[in-house]
Amino acid sequence: ETEGESNVAVHLGVADVENCFHRLVMPAWLSRYFAYPFPVLARDLPHGLELAEGGAALDADEGVYPCARPLPMGFAWSLFFAQRAGERLSSLSLGPGLAALVHDRSPPVVFGGSPAELRHYVYVDNYGVLGQTRAAVQHGIDAVTGRLESE
């Protein structure tokens, strides 16, 4: 082995968040901006939607403008919110200090320290974990998947 060479193996695990945008639910205040353009009559609503926002019962012929709750894919900020939510949840699932988040403006990833050291990245609904051992990477992918699929 010459100076500067190393025998460090790097493993990569990748996964995908199924239905990413539909899993991210907007708060009610934002949802109001995404009401459908035509009203639905109260009598046509499922039984669980019988009350108006103020809690009063609706008349059968009263029109209601349903609002979207998932992030709309055409909304300019949906991609930003999905990206930041994925970064936050993946960081939380791997624990503070256990795995650094890397992105396009991060310094280069350098391994060679602890075999348990991990790095992870998120690109909207895709994520990956890098590490020196297959077991550590698999554990990281399982932790991130468990968190993102349950939220």
Side-chain angles (χ1 to χ4, degrees), residues 1-145:
E1 180 176 308
T2 62
E3 186 177 68
E5 287 185 10
S6 162
N7 289 326
V8 174
V10 176
H11 298 270
L12 169 64
V14 296
D16 177 82
V17 179
E18 189 175 336
N19 299 315
C20 175
F21 288 90
H22 295 291
R23 289 176 179 268
L24 294 169
V25 177
M26 292 184 284
W29 67 266
L30 184 58
S31 180
R32 293 177 193 200
Y33 292 99
F34 297 95
Y36 293 92
F38 302 104
V40 174
L41 295 178
R43 71 170 156 256
D44 296 329
L45 295 173
H47 295 291
L49 301 174
E50 293 175 352
L51 297 180
E53 185 177 318
L58 297 172
D59 293 331
D61 293 325
E62 193 169 349
V64 176
Y65 291 86
C67 298
R69 290 302 311 267
L71 280 174
M73 292 187 69
F75 176 44
W77 284 90
S78 289
L79 185 69
F80 174 82
F81 292 144
Q83 177 69 27
R84 291 299 177 258
E87 289 175 356
R88 175 80 172 138
L89 291 172
S90 66
S91 293
L92 287 173
S93 66
L94 293 169
L98 299 178
L101 175 67
V102 294
H103 49 76
D104 58 339
R105 292 174 297 283
S106 295
V109 173
V110 178
F111 286 106
S114 167
E117 181 181 28
L118 295 173
R119 300 288 187 270
H120 67 106
Y121 68 88
V122 176
Y123 183 70
V124 189
D125 62 345
N126 299 294
Y127 55 96
V129 176
L130 297 104
Q132 296 179 64
T133 69
R134 186 176 300 216
V137 169
Q138 186 62 57
H139 179 74
I141 283 290
D142 291 344
V144 173
T145 300

